[in-house]
Amino acid sequence: MTGTGTARALDPERGTLGKAGGENFPVAPFFLPRAWRQDLMAVYGFARLVDDIGDGDLAPGGADARLLGVSPEEAEDRAALLDAFEADLRRVFDSTPRHPLLRRLQPTVRRRSLTPEPFLGLIAANRQDQLVRRYETYDDLLAYCELSANPVGRLVLAVTGASTPERIRRSDMICTALQIVEHLQDVAEDLGRDRVYLPVADMKRFHVQEADLATKTAGASVRALIAYEAQRARDLLNEGAPLVGSVHGRLKLLLAGFVAGGRAAVRAIAAADYDVLPGPPKPGKVQLLREVGVTLRGEG
């Protein structure tokens, strides 16, 4: 156990929050008001921890399980950990939670009048990951993204006081797109976890077998499939992008960063000729900044 694993074992809160810099999008950039940054980091800590529980990325017998009151035997059971985490989440709204990341979240929930629903959605997505490892259709995948991704954007809008029905609709498109892009970047890693987020119907259409995803480099059929899904993500980002123009000031820059991060990642996938199997194609900082400028000007 090294790196963030060691950090988490010693300090679960710091170990989780330290992952923010590795995300495809800015979590709580420096230019935001301090109160926003604190609240967004609190929301991120929750989302990152629940994903780590669902992916089995916690240190065995580590501090997170102990803090949630889970026995060493139960700590090996992700479903049991998710149940304990949900119980602790509910304490955020009516008593005092055990886990430091949830204690950190409690003032944010109260200050911003956040509801349990988006947090419960993220937990439900990770429960689904324990049971559903393939998605038959694109619509099935979109329903998963409704749980796994869209609550994050809704929480960002709530924290910044910018929620309206139309903004939520656009935000959902952006968040779903970001989730699809992440799935495309992580095809090989996900397969190693026995998960495939490429719709089965699309794999059949492009004559792709799961064995084709286990090779070191992608063949023509896999590349064509990845290009098809990347275009779907690009279209969603373009449909959601008017969200950026609907707000002002620092929030506009933050939301532009989300859209630009997705667009830059799609461009990086395209630049790799849609061969995502050797490892996730990542955009460089110059490309990301260029996309931010394009998004702020509404040219995308």
Side-chain angles (χ1 to χ4, degrees):
M1 180 170 51
T2 58
T4 56
T6 301
R8 165 171 276 155
L10 298 174
D11 185 342
E13 185 175 8
R14 183 180 300 176
T16 298
L17 297 177
K19 294 185 175 184
E23 303 293 348
N24 271 341
F25 50 86
V27 173
F30 70 92
F31 56 79
L32 294 179
R34 182 177 180 181
W36 282 10
R37 294 202 311 272
Q38 290 176 337
D39 289 340
L40 290 173
M41 282 303 293
V43 168
Y44 172 79
F46 171 89
R48 181 69 269 165
L49 179 55
V50 73
D51 277 355
D52 286 347
I53 292 172
D55 288 342
D57 286 343
L58 299 188
D64 292 288
R66 293 196 303 274
L67 286 164
L68 293 171
V70 174
S71 70
E73 294 75 19
E74 290 177 315
E76 302 301 318
D77 182 348
R78 297 180 200 175
L81 276 170
L82 288 169
D83 287 347
F85 192 57
E86 179 178 334
D88 210 28
L89 168 68
R90 293 186 184 278
R91 294 185 191 101
V92 169
F93 295 89
D94 60 22
S95 56
T96 302
R98 296 172 175 173
H99 198 286
L101 284 169
L102 294 180
R103 289 199 296 272
R104 182 189 186 102
L105 180 64
Q106 192 168 48
T108 294
V109 164
R110 291 173 175 172
R111 185 162 47 241
R112 307 299 180 182
S113 300
L114 303 182
T115 63
E117 284 72 23
F119 300 104
L120 292 171
L122 293 173
I123 293 174
N126 280 275
R127 280 207 182 92
Q128 187 165 313
D129 276 335
Q130 312 311 309
L131 302 172
V132 182
R133 297 180 178 272
R134 307 292 186 275
Y135 290 85
E136 186 64 32
T137 68
Y138 181 60
D139 284 344
D140 293 337
L141 185 65
L142 292 182
Y144 169 73
C145 292
E146 180 71 22
L147 297 173
S148 69
N150 298 359
V152 175
R154 295 182 180 208
L155 285 166
V156 169
L157 292 177
V159 163
T160 57
S163 295
T164 67
E166 177 62 12
R167 285 174 180 160
I168 288 171
R169 187 178 75 85
R170 299 282 187 182
S171 171
D172 286 352
M173 293 177 182
I174 293 167
C175 291
T176 290
L178 292 174
Q179 180 75 89
I180 291 172
V181 169
E182 183 177 335
H183 289 159
L184 297 181
Q185 291 176 314
D186 295 340
V187 167
E189 179 182 338
D190 289 335
L191 186 63
R193 301 180 189 270
D194 191 29
R195 294 177 187 163
V196 178
Y197 294 102
L198 299 168
V200 173
D202 295 344
M203 291 177 64
K204 290 178 180 176
R205 175 181 175 181
F206 286 91
H207 307 289
V208 171
Q209 305 290 326
E210 284 194 21
D212 299 325
L213 305 178
T215 59
K216 292 183 178 180
T217 59
S221 295
V222 172
R223 292 174 194 242
L225 171 61
I226 298 299
Y228 179 73
E229 306 299 350
Q231 184 60 51
R232 279 177 156 168
R234 186 182 291 112
D235 290 343
L236 282 170
L237 286 168
N238 291 341
E239 288 185 64
L243 172 65
V244 177
S246 76
V247 299
H248 304 283
R250 300 178 188 184
L251 179 57
K252 182 171 185 173
L253 187 54
L254 175 68
L255 298 181
F258 292 152
V259 175
R263 286 173 166 168
V266 170
R267 287 190 184 276
I269 291 170
D273 198 19
Y274 301 101
D275 184 4
V276 297
L277 299 186
K282 296 282 188 179
K285 289 185 178 180
V286 172
Q287 181 63 53
L288 179 58
L289 290 173
R290 184 179 296 121
E291 293 292 347
V292 169
V294 168
T295 301
L296 285 171
R297 294 193 297 271
E299 297 172 2

